[in-house]
């Protein structure tokens, strides 16, 4: 008996005992079962390596061609038109442009074709218990995963697969996003972000709505920056100034927009300092999905291309 206990303890991950105690206290789950679940997860060096080379570290000139390909645009148009009734219905329910939901699915997983091959439990254990730079965030996600009820997941926790960061399903939801924004749109009693298109689409739309998407409002507009434009301290994509104020500081939109609207100035990595955009609330909302402005711009441009492609087909004889 002592040997079995010693063997079990030897398989524990650093911090596992404290995590199990927290989850058991908060949910009443059996600590033995939780320990078995976590002890079955493996630290993956490939996950730690992947964290060191994110795509968002690329300049925009290299990042854009990854996601704005003719094939991704074509498949987005096909997906949008094939599921238009469902997309438009859920878009109206949540007040979100459905093309942006499709674009997020396109950027994240190529419309469900590549949802990730890592075990979600391995990913979150690796990053939450072995990756100090962001351990607090990923440990919290691991704790949430262990606390989610069975009906909130497409499969048991030890069978889920996803990205190297532990995101799962077509929309690559982290556990906290599943808990807050996951939707059982098909009414089968389960939130299945891997196999149910109604659940997948509704959950992404609910996420955008929950973060403040503004229906019918712009996302981002090109701007002209004057040579003497005021330098701005910009930490994120949150809109902080009125368009009127930004224009007075030397950043003028190239299209008509309400001068009272709140915006920020967006520079993309690797682009000339004179090549700038004004980002609005909806741009910021996309960055809550992935905080990189490159990601938000890729989603925006893919959504625009999907709209344009679909409209062109509507006009064709």
């Amino acid at each position: 008996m002592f040997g079995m206990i010693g063997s079990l303890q030897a398989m524990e991950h650093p911090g596992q005992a404290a995590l199990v105690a927290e989850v058991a206290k908060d949910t009443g789950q059996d600590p033995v079962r939780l320990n078995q679940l976590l002890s079955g997860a493996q630290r993956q060096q490939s996950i730690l390596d992947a964290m060191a080379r994110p795509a968002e570290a690329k300049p925009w000139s290299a990042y854009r061609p990854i996601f704005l390909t003719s094939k991704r645009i074509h498949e987005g148009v096909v997906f949008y038109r094939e599921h238009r009734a469902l997309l438009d219905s859920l878009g109206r329910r949540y007040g979100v442009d459905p093309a942006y939901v499709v674009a997020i699915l396109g950027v994240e997983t190529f419309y469900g074709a590549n949802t990730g091959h890592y075990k979600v439990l391995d990913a979150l254990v690796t990053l939450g218990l072995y990756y100090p730079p962001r351990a607090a965030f990923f440990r919290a996600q691991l704790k949430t995963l262990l606390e989610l009820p069975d009906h909130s997941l497409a499969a048991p926790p030890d069978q889920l697969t996803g990205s190297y960061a532990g995101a799962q399903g077509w929309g690559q939801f982290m556990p906290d996003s599943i808990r807050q924004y996951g939707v059982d749109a098909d009414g089968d009693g389960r939130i299945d972000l891997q196999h149910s298109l109604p659940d997948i689409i509704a959950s992404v739309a609910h996420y955008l709505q929950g973060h403040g998407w503004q229906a019918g409002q712009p996302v981002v507009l090109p701007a002209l920056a004057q040579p003497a434009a005021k330098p701005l301290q910009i930490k994120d994509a949150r809109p902080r100034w009125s368009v009127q104020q930004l224009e007075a500081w030397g950043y003028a939109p190239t299209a008509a927009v309400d001068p009272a609207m709140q915006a920020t100035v967006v520079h993309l990595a690797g682009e000339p300092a004179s090549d700038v955009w004004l980002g609005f609330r909806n741009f910021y909302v996309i960055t809550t999905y992935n905080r990189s402005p490159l990601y938000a711009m890729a989603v925006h441009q893919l959504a625009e291309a999907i709209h344009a492609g679909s409209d062109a087909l509507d006009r064709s004889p």
Side-chain angles (χ1 to χ4, degrees):
M1 183 68 173
F2 177 81
M4 291 177 62
I5 294 175
S7 175
L8 178 61
Q9 289 176 338
M11 291 188 294
E12 285 190 356
H13 303 284
Q16 178 174 322
L19 177 61
V20 166
E22 290 175 30
V23 175
K25 178 182 177 182
D26 292 346
T27 66
Q29 293 186 56
D30 181 4
V32 173
R33 174 186 169 277
L34 290 168
N35 270 310
Q36 289 174 340
L37 193 62
L38 289 172
S39 294
Q42 298 182 4
R43 174 190 180 277
Q44 299 284 356
Q45 183 60 43
S46 60
I47 291 172
L48 297 172
D49 294 341
M51 287 296 290
R53 53 175 191 273
E56 286 75 15
K58 299 177 182 292
W60 175 241
S61 58
Y63 186 89
R64 186 183 188 280
I66 298 173
F67 300 105
L68 273 295
T69 64
S70 58
K71 183 176 181 181
R72 200 180 300 258
I73 293 168
H74 171 74
E75 293 298 324
V77 172
V78 170
F79 182 89
Y80 181 78
R81 295 179 69 83
E82 182 178 352
H83 304 288
R84 190 161 190 170
L86 175 63
L87 284 158
D88 287 351
S89 173
L90 292 173
R92 288 191 296 270
R93 179 187 302 179
Y94 293 102
V96 172
D97 183 337
Y100 283 85
V101 174
V102 176
I104 285 174
L105 299 179
V107 170
E108 291 289 345
T109 63
F110 208 102
Y111 316 106
N114 180 19
T115 58
H117 63 276
Y118 289 95
K119 284 192 172 183
V120 168
L121 200 58
D122 285 357
L124 294 179
V125 164
T126 297
L127 296 172
L129 304 180
Y130 294 95
Y131 186 62
R134 297 193 64 195
F137 171 78
F138 286 107
R139 184 187 186 278
Q141 297 300 319
L142 175 58
K143 182 173 185 288
T144 298
L145 178 70
L146 297 173
E147 293 176 346
L148 285 173
D150 291 343
H151 71 265
S152 293
L153 298 171
D158 57 346
Q159 296 178 28
L160 292 168
T161 57
S163 75
Y164 67 82
Q168 57 193 281
W170 287 36
Q172 294 290 274
F173 268 34
M174 297 297 287
D176 272 350
S177 293
I178 296 174
R179 180 174 62 185
Q180 296 182 58
Y181 303 108
V183 178
D184 173 22
D186 61 12
D188 69 350
R190 177 177 292 276
I191 298 170
D192 187 345
L193 303 184
Q194 188 69 50
H195 307 102
S196 169
L197 271 182
D199 292 6
I200 291 163
I201 292 167
S203 296
V204 174
H206 188 208
Y207 179 98
L208 295 175
Q209 179 200 55
H211 284 82
W213 185 272
Q214 297 177 336
Q217 296 301 312
V219 176
V220 62
L221 289 174
L224 294 175
Q226 300 300 319
K230 178 180 178 178
L232 300 175
Q233 296 294 323
I234 299 173
K235 296 181 179 180
D236 56 36
R238 192 185 302 273
R240 288 182 166 83
W241 306 283
S242 69
V243 170
Q244 184 177 31
Q245 179 64 77
L246 289 171
E247 193 163 5
W249 285 339
Y251 303 95
T254 58
V257 63
D258 182 353
M261 281 193 69
Q262 295 291 108
T264 189
V265 175
V266 178
H267 296 276
L268 298 182
E271 294 298 297
S274 60
D275 195 1
V276 300
W277 292 261
L278 296 189
F280 301 94
R281 175 71 190 185
N282 289 341
F283 188 83
Y284 171 71
V285 169
I286 299 172
T287 67
T288 67
Y289 214 100
N290 180 317
R291 60 187 177 184
S292 167
L294 280 68
Y295 173 89
M297 187 65 76
V299 168
H300 168 67
Q301 293 190 359
L302 181 56
E304 284 194 318
I306 290 168
H307 266 310
S310 182
D311 291 347
L313 289 175
D314 286 339
R315 292 191 300 269
S316 63

